[in-house]
Amino acid sequence: MERTFTMIKPDGVRKSLIGEVVRRYENAGLKIIGLKLMRLSREKAEELYSIHKGKPFYGELVDFIISGPVVPMVVEGDNAVNRVREIMGATNPKEAAPGTIRGDFAEEISENIVHGADSTESANREIPVFFSEVELVER
Ligand SMILES: Nc1nc2c(ncn2[C@@H]2O[C@H](COP(=O)(O)OP(=O)(O)O)[C@@H](O)[C@H]2O)c(=O)[nH]1
Ligand SMILES: [Mg+2]
């Protein structure tokens, strides 16, 4: 069993895709063990995206992620990190395959509906930014 961190970004919430994203994870047999709806502080946004600090799109990325409510989640299952990334699709929606979340619902790289940890190391760093251990359930 593996845990990963994934989050519906403000554009996904704005487009009423909360249920759609959760459904895709659940249909794949993944289990949601933590979920909330919240608005990120600039501090939390900068913590999530600390690895991108200094990149040309960093400022825009942080401003965007705090522009509206988001839905952070912890998802559990075999190979959860890679399976969530597959369900999300490529970072650039123009390259994302049909049938993936980004391929089906996003147009621009700056607004690509979902975030997902890219490794178990990233997941282990990102999960505690959003959830304390008591907020995660056993199922
Ligand atoms: N505007 C802009 N945003 C980008 C670019 N590259 C990445 N991003 C955004 O930054 C987020 C984080 O980048 P990255 O970790 O590489 O992609 P991810 O792991 O697939 O989300 C992406 O989901 C995009 O929303 C870029 O070249 N331009
Ligand atoms: Mg990433």
Side-chain angles (χ1 to χ4, degrees), residues 45-84:
E46 289 177 348
E47 201 177 345
L48 173 66
Y49 285 129
S50 56
I51 49 161
H52 297 300
K53 199 167 181 178
K55 292 184 187 168
F57 59 87
Y58 174 75
E60 188 192 337
L61 180 59
V62 170
D63 286 345
F64 170 65
I65 214 73
I66 65 174
S67 69
V70 294
V71 180
M73 283 177 255
V74 178
V75 169
E76 193 176 72
D78 289 330
N79 202 19
V81 170
N82 288 329
R83 284 171 62 215
V84 162

PDB file of all heavy atoms in Angstrom, residues 45-84:
ATOM      1  N   ALA A  45       1.066  27.650   0.148  1.00  0.00           N
ATOM      2  CA  ALA A  45       1.277  27.518  -1.296  1.00  0.00           C
ATOM      3  C   ALA A  45       2.774  27.502  -1.609  1.00  0.00           C
ATOM      4  O   ALA A  45       3.252  26.688  -2.407  1.00  0.00           O
ATOM      5  CB  ALA A  45       0.580  28.659  -2.027  1.00  0.00           C
ATOM      6  N   GLU A  46       3.516  28.372  -0.955  1.00  0.00           N
ATOM      7  CA  GLU A  46       4.965  28.436  -1.186  1.00  0.00           C
ATOM      8  C   GLU A  46       5.657  27.176  -0.666  1.00  0.00           C
ATOM      9  O   GLU A  46       6.639  26.708  -1.242  1.00  0.00           O
ATOM     10  CB  GLU A  46       5.547  29.695  -0.536  1.00  0.00           C
ATOM     11  CG  GLU A  46       5.131  30.959  -1.287  1.00  0.00           C
ATOM     12  CD  GLU A  46       5.610  32.250  -0.641  1.00  0.00           C
ATOM     13  OE1 GLU A  46       6.078  32.213   0.517  1.00  0.00           O
ATOM     14  OE2 GLU A  46       5.518  33.301  -1.318  1.00  0.00           O
ATOM     15  N   GLU A  47       5.098  26.598   0.404  1.00  0.00           N
ATOM     16  CA  GLU A  47       5.653  25.355   0.944  1.00  0.00           C
ATOM     17  C   GLU A  47       5.407  24.196  -0.034  1.00  0.00           C
ATOM     18  O   GLU A  47       6.302  23.403  -0.325  1.00  0.00           O
ATOM     19  CB  GLU A  47       5.008  25.078   2.311  1.00  0.00           C
ATOM     20  CG  GLU A  47       5.809  24.153   3.200  1.00  0.00           C
ATOM     21  CD  GLU A  47       5.161  23.987   4.566  1.00  0.00           C
ATOM     22  OE1 GLU A  47       4.265  24.777   4.952  1.00  0.00           O
ATOM     23  OE2 GLU A  47       5.557  23.026   5.250  1.00  0.00           O
ATOM     24  N   LEU A  48       4.178  24.120  -0.556  1.00  0.00           N
ATOM     25  CA  LEU A  48       3.867  23.059  -1.518  1.00  0.00           C
ATOM     26  C   LEU A  48       4.794  23.146  -2.731  1.00  0.00           C
ATOM     27  O   LEU A  48       5.284  22.130  -3.212  1.00  0.00           O
ATOM     28  CB  LEU A  48       2.402  23.172  -1.980  1.00  0.00           C
ATOM     29  CG  LEU A  48       1.994  22.223  -3.113  1.00  0.00           C
ATOM     30  CD1 LEU A  48       2.046  20.762  -2.657  1.00  0.00           C
ATOM     31  CD2 LEU A  48       0.597  22.553  -3.636  1.00  0.00           C
ATOM     32  N   TYR A  49       5.005  24.356  -3.227  1.00  0.00           N
ATOM     33  CA  TYR A  49       5.737  24.537  -4.475  1.00  0.00           C
ATOM     34  C   TYR A  49       7.182  24.991  -4.261  1.00  0.00           C
ATOM     35  O   TYR A  49       7.787  25.569  -5.175  1.00  0.00           O
ATOM     36  CB  TYR A  49       4.983  25.510  -5.377  1.00  0.00           C
ATOM     37  CG  TYR A  49       3.749  24.899  -6.024  1.00  0.00           C
ATOM     38  CD1 TYR A  49       2.512  25.524  -5.948  1.00  0.00           C
ATOM     39  CD2 TYR A  49       3.840  23.690  -6.730  1.00  0.00           C
ATOM     40  CE1 TYR A  49       1.388  24.967  -6.561  1.00  0.00           C
ATOM     41  CE2 TYR A  49       2.721  23.126  -7.329  1.00  0.00           C
ATOM     42  CZ  TYR A  49       1.502  23.765  -7.243  1.00  0.00           C
ATOM     43  OH  TYR A  49       0.397  23.210  -7.854  1.00  0.00           O
ATOM     44  N   SER A  50       7.744  24.699  -3.092  1.00  0.00           N
ATOM     45  CA  SER A  50       9.106  25.168  -2.779  1.00  0.00           C
ATOM     46  C   SER A  50      10.143  24.701  -3.809  1.00  0.00           C
ATOM     47  O   SER A  50      11.089  25.438  -4.103  1.00  0.00           O
ATOM     48  CB  SER A  50       9.501  24.704  -1.377  1.00  0.00           C
ATOM     49  OG  SER A  50       9.397  23.304  -1.272  1.00  0.00           O
ATOM     50  N   ILE A  51       9.943  23.495  -4.387  1.00  0.00           N
ATOM     51  CA  ILE A  51      10.926  23.011  -5.370  1.00  0.00           C
ATOM     52  C   ILE A  51      10.929  23.840  -6.656  1.00  0.00           C
ATOM     53  O   ILE A  51      11.860  23.753  -7.445  1.00  0.00           O
ATOM     54  CB  ILE A  51      10.721  21.517  -5.765  1.00  0.00           C
ATOM     55  CG1 ILE A  51       9.272  21.238  -6.121  1.00  0.00           C
ATOM     56  CG2 ILE A  51      11.217  20.571  -4.699  1.00  0.00           C
ATOM     57  CD1 ILE A  51       9.087  19.971  -6.938  1.00  0.00           C
ATOM     58  N   HIS A  52       9.879  24.627  -6.874  1.00  0.00           N
ATOM     59  CA  HIS A  52       9.803  25.441  -8.094  1.00  0.00           C
ATOM     60  C   HIS A  52      10.261  26.879  -7.878  1.00  0.00           C
ATOM     61  O   HIS A  52      10.214  27.691  -8.803  1.00  0.00           O
ATOM     62  CB  HIS A  52       8.381  25.433  -8.653  1.00  0.00           C
ATOM     63  CG  HIS A  52       7.922  24.070  -9.071  1.00  0.00           C
ATOM     64  ND1 HIS A  52       8.576  23.337 -10.031  1.00  0.00           N
ATOM     65  CD2 HIS A  52       6.896  23.290  -8.636  1.00  0.00           C
ATOM     66  CE1 HIS A  52       7.950  22.173 -10.185  1.00  0.00           C
ATOM     67  NE2 HIS A  52       6.938  22.117  -9.352  1.00  0.00           N
ATOM     68  N   LYS A  53      10.662  27.190  -6.640  1.00  0.00           N
ATOM     69  CA  LYS A  53      11.091  28.561  -6.337  1.00  0.00           C
ATOM     70  C   LYS A  53      12.233  28.960  -7.263  1.00  0.00           C
ATOM     71  O   LYS A  53      13.176  28.193  -7.463  1.00  0.00           O
ATOM     72  CB  LYS A  53      11.543  28.665  -4.871  1.00  0.00           C
ATOM     73  CG  LYS A  53      11.563  30.083  -4.383  1.00  0.00           C
ATOM     74  CD  LYS A  53      11.705  30.181  -2.886  1.00  0.00           C
ATOM     75  CE  LYS A  53      11.685  31.652  -2.494  1.00  0.00           C
ATOM     76  NZ  LYS A  53      11.780  31.850  -1.071  1.00  0.00           N
ATOM     77  N   GLY A  54      12.147  30.149  -7.861  1.00  0.00           N
ATOM     78  CA  GLY A  54      13.187  30.609  -8.777  1.00  0.00           C
ATOM     79  C   GLY A  54      12.865  30.366 -10.237  1.00  0.00           C
ATOM     80  O   GLY A  54      13.469  30.969 -11.118  1.00  0.00           O
ATOM     81  N   LYS A  55      11.900  29.452 -10.511  1.00  0.00           N
ATOM     82  CA  LYS A  55      11.522  29.218 -11.916  1.00  0.00           C
ATOM     83  C   LYS A  55      10.663  30.380 -12.409  1.00  0.00           C
ATOM     84  O   LYS A  55       9.986  31.040 -11.618  1.00  0.00           O
ATOM     85  CB  LYS A  55      10.763  27.891 -12.043  1.00  0.00           C
ATOM     86  CG  LYS A  55      11.652  26.677 -11.764  1.00  0.00           C
ATOM     87  CD  LYS A  55      10.928  25.367 -11.988  1.00  0.00           C
ATOM     88  CE  LYS A  55      11.814  24.207 -11.537  1.00  0.00           C
ATOM     89  NZ  LYS A  55      11.076  22.942 -11.462  1.00  0.00           N
ATOM     90  N   PRO A  56      10.670  30.614 -13.729  1.00  0.00           N
ATOM     91  CA  PRO A  56       9.955  31.789 -14.258  1.00  0.00           C
ATOM     92  C   PRO A  56       8.454  31.782 -13.953  1.00  0.00           C
ATOM     93  O   PRO A  56       7.847  32.843 -13.843  1.00  0.00           O
ATOM     94  CB  PRO A  56      10.203  31.721 -15.768  1.00  0.00           C
ATOM     95  CG  PRO A  56      10.854  30.419 -16.039  1.00  0.00           C
ATOM     96  CD  PRO A  56      11.433  29.912 -14.767  1.00  0.00           C
ATOM     97  N   PHE A  57       7.862  30.589 -13.811  1.00  0.00           N
ATOM     98  CA  PHE A  57       6.415  30.523 -13.603  1.00  0.00           C
ATOM     99  C   PHE A  57       6.027  30.458 -12.127  1.00  0.00           C
ATOM    100  O   PHE A  57       4.834  30.379 -11.793  1.00  0.00           O
ATOM    101  CB  PHE A  57       5.824  29.327 -14.360  1.00  0.00           C
ATOM    102  CG  PHE A  57       6.404  27.985 -13.964  1.00  0.00           C
ATOM    103  CD1 PHE A  57       5.887  27.271 -12.899  1.00  0.00           C
ATOM    104  CD2 PHE A  57       7.472  27.439 -14.679  1.00  0.00           C
ATOM    105  CE1 PHE A  57       6.409  26.033 -12.539  1.00  0.00           C
ATOM    106  CE2 PHE A  57       8.003  26.196 -14.319  1.00  0.00           C
ATOM    107  CZ  PHE A  57       7.469  25.499 -13.247  1.00  0.00           C
ATOM    108  N   TYR A  58       7.025  30.513 -11.221  1.00  0.00           N
ATOM    109  CA  TYR A  58       6.752  30.305  -9.786  1.00  0.00           C
ATOM    110  C   TYR A  58       5.737  31.315  -9.220  1.00  0.00           C
ATOM    111  O   TYR A  58       4.781  30.933  -8.534  1.00  0.00           O
ATOM    112  CB  TYR A  58       8.068  30.364  -9.001  1.00  0.00           C
ATOM    113  CG  TYR A  58       7.904  30.303  -7.506  1.00  0.00           C
ATOM    114  CD1 TYR A  58       7.584  29.103  -6.861  1.00  0.00           C
ATOM    115  CD2 TYR A  58       8.061  31.447  -6.720  1.00  0.00           C
ATOM    116  CE1 TYR A  58       7.444  29.053  -5.486  1.00  0.00           C
ATOM    117  CE2 TYR A  58       7.926  31.404  -5.343  1.00  0.00           C
ATOM    118  CZ  TYR A  58       7.613  30.209  -4.728  1.00  0.00           C
ATOM    119  OH  TYR A  58       7.473  30.164  -3.360  1.00  0.00           O
ATOM    120  N   GLY A  59       5.951  32.602  -9.503  1.00  0.00           N
ATOM    121  CA  GLY A  59       5.067  33.639  -8.962  1.00  0.00           C
ATOM    122  C   GLY A  59       3.635  33.458  -9.425  1.00  0.00           C
ATOM    123  O   GLY A  59       2.690  33.504  -8.631  1.00  0.00           O
ATOM    124  N   GLU A  60       3.486  33.192 -10.715  1.00  0.00           N
ATOM    125  CA  GLU A  60       2.170  32.972 -11.314  1.00  0.00           C
ATOM    126  C   GLU A  60       1.500  31.735 -10.701  1.00  0.00           C
ATOM    127  O   GLU A  60       0.304  31.720 -10.416  1.00  0.00           O
ATOM    128  CB  GLU A  60       2.363  32.783 -12.831  1.00  0.00           C
ATOM    129  CG  GLU A  60       1.094  32.733 -13.640  1.00  0.00           C
ATOM    130  CD  GLU A  60       1.348  32.259 -15.082  1.00  0.00           C
ATOM    131  OE1 GLU A  60       2.495  32.389 -15.576  1.00  0.00           O
ATOM    132  OE2 GLU A  60       0.406  31.747 -15.699  1.00  0.00           O
ATOM    133  N   LEU A  61       2.310  30.684 -10.485  1.00  0.00           N
ATOM    134  CA  LEU A  61       1.816  29.424  -9.932  1.00  0.00           C
ATOM    135  C   LEU A  61       1.270  29.637  -8.514  1.00  0.00           C
ATOM    136  O   LEU A  61       0.154  29.180  -8.192  1.00  0.00           O
ATOM    137  CB  LEU A  61       2.974  28.417  -9.924  1.00  0.00           C
ATOM    138  CG  LEU A  61       2.725  27.011  -9.389  1.00  0.00           C
ATOM    139  CD1 LEU A  61       1.627  26.300 -10.166  1.00  0.00           C
ATOM    140  CD2 LEU A  61       4.028  26.206  -9.442  1.00  0.00           C
ATOM    141  N   VAL A  62       2.026  30.331  -7.689  1.00  0.00           N
ATOM    142  CA  VAL A  62       1.593  30.574  -6.304  1.00  0.00           C
ATOM    143  C   VAL A  62       0.348  31.465  -6.294  1.00  0.00           C
ATOM    144  O   VAL A  62      -0.628  31.176  -5.591  1.00  0.00           O
ATOM    145  CB  VAL A  62       2.733  31.191  -5.465  1.00  0.00           C
ATOM    146  CG1 VAL A  62       2.215  31.668  -4.112  1.00  0.00           C
ATOM    147  CG2 VAL A  62       3.867  30.168  -5.279  1.00  0.00           C
ATOM    148  N   ASP A  63       0.358  32.542  -7.100  1.00  0.00           N
ATOM    149  CA  ASP A  63      -0.818  33.430  -7.161  1.00  0.00           C
ATOM    150  C   ASP A  63      -2.059  32.649  -7.593  1.00  0.00           C
ATOM    151  O   ASP A  63      -3.150  32.842  -7.059  1.00  0.00           O
ATOM    152  CB  ASP A  63      -0.587  34.579  -8.160  1.00  0.00           C
ATOM    153  CG  ASP A  63       0.372  35.624  -7.612  1.00  0.00           C
ATOM    154  OD1 ASP A  63       0.638  35.618  -6.384  1.00  0.00           O
ATOM    155  OD2 ASP A  63       0.857  36.453  -8.405  1.00  0.00           O
ATOM    156  N   PHE A  64      -1.884  31.767  -8.564  1.00  0.00           N
ATOM    157  CA  PHE A  64      -3.024  30.997  -9.065  1.00  0.00           C
ATOM    158  C   PHE A  64      -3.564  30.038  -7.998  1.00  0.00           C
ATOM    159  O   PHE A  64      -4.782  29.939  -7.801  1.00  0.00           O
ATOM    160  CB  PHE A  64      -2.632  30.215 -10.326  1.00  0.00           C
ATOM    161  CG  PHE A  64      -3.675  29.230 -10.734  1.00  0.00           C
ATOM    162  CD1 PHE A  64      -4.926  29.670 -11.159  1.00  0.00           C
ATOM    163  CD2 PHE A  64      -3.430  27.870 -10.668  1.00  0.00           C
ATOM    164  CE1 PHE A  64      -5.917  28.757 -11.505  1.00  0.00           C
ATOM    165  CE2 PHE A  64      -4.417  26.960 -11.017  1.00  0.00           C
ATOM    166  CZ  PHE A  64      -5.653  27.398 -11.435  1.00  0.00           C
ATOM    167  N   ILE A  65      -2.678  29.353  -7.308  1.00  0.00           N
ATOM    168  CA  ILE A  65      -3.123  28.303  -6.379  1.00  0.00           C
ATOM    169  C   ILE A  65      -3.826  28.886  -5.149  1.00  0.00           C
ATOM    170  O   ILE A  65      -4.592  28.191  -4.485  1.00  0.00           O
ATOM    171  CB  ILE A  65      -1.926  27.369  -6.012  1.00  0.00           C
ATOM    172  CG1 ILE A  65      -2.399  25.925  -5.813  1.00  0.00           C
ATOM    173  CG2 ILE A  65      -1.169  27.859  -4.800  1.00  0.00           C
ATOM    174  CD1 ILE A  65      -2.776  25.206  -7.065  1.00  0.00           C
ATOM    175  N   ILE A  66      -3.596  30.183  -4.878  1.00  0.00           N
ATOM    176  CA  ILE A  66      -4.317  30.823  -3.771  1.00  0.00           C
ATOM    177  C   ILE A  66      -5.512  31.648  -4.271  1.00  0.00           C
ATOM    178  O   ILE A  66      -6.153  32.344  -3.495  1.00  0.00           O
ATOM    179  CB  ILE A  66      -3.379  31.712  -2.914  1.00  0.00           C
ATOM    180  CG1 ILE A  66      -2.833  32.913  -3.708  1.00  0.00           C
ATOM    181  CG2 ILE A  66      -2.238  30.884  -2.333  1.00  0.00           C
ATOM    182  CD1 ILE A  66      -2.033  33.884  -2.851  1.00  0.00           C
ATOM    183  N   SER A  67      -5.832  31.546  -5.570  1.00  0.00           N
ATOM    184  CA  SER A  67      -6.880  32.398  -6.151  1.00  0.00           C
ATOM    185  C   SER A  67      -8.295  31.917  -5.840  1.00  0.00           C
ATOM    186  O   SER A  67      -9.269  32.615  -6.121  1.00  0.00           O
ATOM    187  CB  SER A  67      -6.704  32.489  -7.670  1.00  0.00           C
ATOM    188  OG  SER A  67      -6.989  31.241  -8.284  1.00  0.00           O
ATOM    189  N   GLY A  68      -8.421  30.725  -5.276  1.00  0.00           N
ATOM    190  CA  GLY A  68      -9.741  30.187  -4.950  1.00  0.00           C
ATOM    191  C   GLY A  68      -9.575  28.919  -4.153  1.00  0.00           C
ATOM    192  O   GLY A  68      -8.455  28.449  -3.957  1.00  0.00           O
ATOM    193  N   PRO A  69     -10.692  28.341  -3.682  1.00  0.00           N
ATOM    194  CA  PRO A  69     -10.597  27.135  -2.863  1.00  0.00           C
ATOM    195  C   PRO A  69     -10.003  25.952  -3.626  1.00  0.00           C
ATOM    196  O   PRO A  69     -10.144  25.852  -4.849  1.00  0.00           O
ATOM    197  CB  PRO A  69     -12.038  26.855  -2.450  1.00  0.00           C
ATOM    198  CG  PRO A  69     -12.893  27.711  -3.301  1.00  0.00           C
ATOM    199  CD  PRO A  69     -12.064  28.828  -3.821  1.00  0.00           C
ATOM    200  N   VAL A  70      -9.344  25.079  -2.886  1.00  0.00           N
ATOM    201  CA  VAL A  70      -8.734  23.866  -3.424  1.00  0.00           C
ATOM    202  C   VAL A  70      -9.207  22.666  -2.601  1.00  0.00           C
ATOM    203  O   VAL A  70      -9.745  22.840  -1.510  1.00  0.00           O
ATOM    204  CB  VAL A  70      -7.183  23.948  -3.371  1.00  0.00           C
ATOM    205  CG1 VAL A  70      -6.662  25.028  -4.303  1.00  0.00           C
ATOM    206  CG2 VAL A  70      -6.684  24.152  -1.948  1.00  0.00           C
ATOM    207  N   VAL A  71      -9.018  21.466  -3.152  1.00  0.00           N
ATOM    208  CA  VAL A  71      -9.416  20.250  -2.451  1.00  0.00           C
ATOM    209  C   VAL A  71      -8.213  19.312  -2.333  1.00  0.00           C
ATOM    210  O   VAL A  71      -7.946  18.505  -3.227  1.00  0.00           O
ATOM    211  CB  VAL A  71     -10.587  19.529  -3.168  1.00  0.00           C
ATOM    212  CG1 VAL A  71     -10.986  18.251  -2.420  1.00  0.00           C
ATOM    213  CG2 VAL A  71     -11.797  20.449  -3.299  1.00  0.00           C
ATOM    214  N   PRO A  72      -7.448  19.450  -1.258  1.00  0.00           N
ATOM    215  CA  PRO A  72      -6.338  18.525  -1.029  1.00  0.00           C
ATOM    216  C   PRO A  72      -6.862  17.163  -0.583  1.00  0.00           C
ATOM    217  O   PRO A  72      -7.868  17.086   0.116  1.00  0.00           O
ATOM    218  CB  PRO A  72      -5.521  19.193   0.088  1.00  0.00           C
ATOM    219  CG  PRO A  72      -6.392  20.226   0.690  1.00  0.00           C
ATOM    220  CD  PRO A  72      -7.541  20.486  -0.225  1.00  0.00           C
ATOM    221  N   MET A  73      -6.178  16.124  -1.019  1.00  0.00           N
ATOM    222  CA  MET A  73      -6.591  14.752  -0.705  1.00  0.00           C
ATOM    223  C   MET A  73      -5.375  13.880  -0.456  1.00  0.00           C
ATOM    224  O   MET A  73      -4.326  14.097  -1.066  1.00  0.00           O
ATOM    225  CB  MET A  73      -7.285  14.107  -1.915  1.00  0.00           C
ATOM    226  CG  MET A  73      -8.678  14.522  -2.186  1.00  0.00           C
ATOM    227  SD  MET A  73      -9.231  13.700  -3.710  1.00  0.00           S
ATOM    228  CE  MET A  73      -9.147  15.088  -4.819  1.00  0.00           C
ATOM    229  N   VAL A  74      -5.569  12.864   0.363  1.00  0.00           N
ATOM    230  CA  VAL A  74      -4.590  11.792   0.461  1.00  0.00           C
ATOM    231  C   VAL A  74      -5.258  10.544  -0.086  1.00  0.00           C
ATOM    232  O   VAL A  74      -6.388  10.204   0.283  1.00  0.00           O
ATOM    233  CB  VAL A  74      -4.108  11.582   1.909  1.00  0.00           C
ATOM    234  CG1 VAL A  74      -3.129  10.413   1.983  1.00  0.00           C
ATOM    235  CG2 VAL A  74      -3.461  12.862   2.440  1.00  0.00           C
ATOM    236  N   VAL A  75      -4.577   9.902  -1.011  1.00  0.00           N
ATOM    237  CA  VAL A  75      -5.123   8.757  -1.732  1.00  0.00           C
ATOM    238  C   VAL A  75      -4.211   7.565  -1.484  1.00  0.00           C
ATOM    239  O   VAL A  75      -2.980   7.690  -1.511  1.00  0.00           O
ATOM    240  CB  VAL A  75      -5.201   9.090  -3.240  1.00  0.00           C
ATOM    241  CG1 VAL A  75      -5.503   7.860  -4.064  1.00  0.00           C
ATOM    242  CG2 VAL A  75      -6.241  10.168  -3.492  1.00  0.00           C
ATOM    243  N   GLU A  76      -4.830   6.417  -1.231  1.00  0.00           N
ATOM    244  CA  GLU A  76      -4.058   5.218  -0.895  1.00  0.00           C
ATOM    245  C   GLU A  76      -4.376   4.080  -1.868  1.00  0.00           C
ATOM    246  O   GLU A  76      -5.521   3.940  -2.305  1.00  0.00           O
ATOM    247  CB  GLU A  76      -4.427   4.789   0.535  1.00  0.00           C
ATOM    248  CG  GLU A  76      -3.500   3.759   1.140  1.00  0.00           C
ATOM    249  CD  GLU A  76      -3.881   3.488   2.574  1.00  0.00           C
ATOM    250  OE1 GLU A  76      -4.928   2.848   2.806  1.00  0.00           O
ATOM    251  OE2 GLU A  76      -3.141   3.929   3.469  1.00  0.00           O
ATOM    252  N   GLY A  77      -3.364   3.288  -2.163  1.00  0.00           N
ATOM    253  CA  GLY A  77      -3.546   2.113  -3.016  1.00  0.00           C
ATOM    254  C   GLY A  77      -2.206   1.605  -3.492  1.00  0.00           C
ATOM    255  O   GLY A  77      -1.182   2.256  -3.279  1.00  0.00           O
ATOM    256  N   ASP A  78      -2.229   0.439  -4.148  1.00  0.00           N
ATOM    257  CA  ASP A  78      -0.988  -0.078  -4.730  1.00  0.00           C
ATOM    258  C   ASP A  78      -0.486   0.919  -5.764  1.00  0.00           C
ATOM    259  O   ASP A  78      -1.252   1.366  -6.622  1.00  0.00           O
ATOM    260  CB  ASP A  78      -1.248  -1.429  -5.422  1.00  0.00           C
ATOM    261  CG  ASP A  78      -1.507  -2.541  -4.417  1.00  0.00           C
ATOM    262  OD1 ASP A  78      -0.965  -2.456  -3.299  1.00  0.00           O
ATOM    263  OD2 ASP A  78      -2.275  -3.460  -4.749  1.00  0.00           O
ATOM    264  N   ASN A  79       0.791   1.270  -5.678  1.00  0.00           N
ATOM    265  CA  ASN A  79       1.395   2.139  -6.697  1.00  0.00           C
ATOM    266  C   ASN A  79       0.631   3.466  -6.858  1.00  0.00           C
ATOM    267  O   ASN A  79       0.496   3.993  -7.967  1.00  0.00           O
ATOM    268  CB  ASN A  79       1.441   1.373  -8.032  1.00  0.00           C
ATOM    269  CG  ASN A  79       2.463   1.921  -8.987  1.00  0.00           C
ATOM    270  OD1 ASN A  79       3.390   2.631  -8.578  1.00  0.00           O
ATOM    271  ND2 ASN A  79       2.297   1.640 -10.264  1.00  0.00           N
ATOM    272  N   ALA A  80       0.101   3.980  -5.743  1.00  0.00           N
ATOM    273  CA  ALA A  80      -0.797   5.150  -5.786  1.00  0.00           C
ATOM    274  C   ALA A  80      -0.145   6.368  -6.450  1.00  0.00           C
ATOM    275  O   ALA A  80      -0.804   7.090  -7.205  1.00  0.00           O
ATOM    276  CB  ALA A  80      -1.265   5.503  -4.377  1.00  0.00           C
ATOM    277  N   VAL A  81       1.130   6.605  -6.193  1.00  0.00           N
ATOM    278  CA  VAL A  81       1.789   7.797  -6.748  1.00  0.00           C
ATOM    279  C   VAL A  81       1.701   7.778  -8.275  1.00  0.00           C
ATOM    280  O   VAL A  81       1.216   8.723  -8.897  1.00  0.00           O
ATOM    281  CB  VAL A  81       3.265   7.888  -6.293  1.00  0.00           C
ATOM    282  CG1 VAL A  81       4.005   8.966  -7.066  1.00  0.00           C
ATOM    283  CG2 VAL A  81       3.352   8.152  -4.788  1.00  0.00           C
ATOM    284  N   ASN A  82       2.147   6.695  -8.873  1.00  0.00           N
ATOM    285  CA  ASN A  82       2.168   6.630 -10.337  1.00  0.00           C
ATOM    286  C   ASN A  82       0.770   6.525 -10.935  1.00  0.00           C
ATOM    287  O   ASN A  82       0.511   7.073 -12.008  1.00  0.00           O
ATOM    288  CB  ASN A  82       3.025   5.453 -10.806  1.00  0.00           C
ATOM    289  CG  ASN A  82       4.499   5.718 -10.584  1.00  0.00           C
ATOM    290  OD1 ASN A  82       4.943   6.870 -10.632  1.00  0.00           O
ATOM    291  ND2 ASN A  82       5.259   4.677 -10.316  1.00  0.00           N
ATOM    292  N   ARG A  83      -0.116   5.818 -10.238  1.00  0.00           N
ATOM    293  CA  ARG A  83      -1.464   5.668 -10.795  1.00  0.00           C
ATOM    294  C   ARG A  83      -2.206   7.000 -10.792  1.00  0.00           C
ATOM    295  O   ARG A  83      -2.894   7.336 -11.756  1.00  0.00           O
ATOM    296  CB  ARG A  83      -2.216   4.573 -10.060  1.00  0.00           C
ATOM    297  CG  ARG A  83      -1.693   3.210 -10.546  1.00  0.00           C
ATOM    298  CD  ARG A  83      -2.206   2.067  -9.747  1.00  0.00           C
ATOM    299  NE  ARG A  83      -3.643   1.950  -9.827  1.00  0.00           N
ATOM    300  CZ  ARG A  83      -4.409   1.552  -8.804  1.00  0.00           C
ATOM    301  NH1 ARG A  83      -3.859   1.258  -7.647  1.00  0.00           N
ATOM    302  NH2 ARG A  83      -5.697   1.442  -8.966  1.00  0.00           N
ATOM    303  N   VAL A  84      -2.056   7.779  -9.724  1.00  0.00           N
ATOM    304  CA  VAL A  84      -2.679   9.115  -9.708  1.00  0.00           C
ATOM    305  C   VAL A  84      -2.097   9.976 -10.830  1.00  0.00           C
ATOM    306  O   VAL A  84      -2.825  10.672 -11.543  1.00  0.00           O
ATOM    307  CB  VAL A  84      -2.524   9.778  -8.317  1.00  0.00           C
ATOM    308  CG1 VAL A  84      -2.753  11.292  -8.396  1.00  0.00           C
ATOM    309  CG2 VAL A  84      -3.496   9.152  -7.327  1.00  0.00           C
TER     310      VAL A  84
END
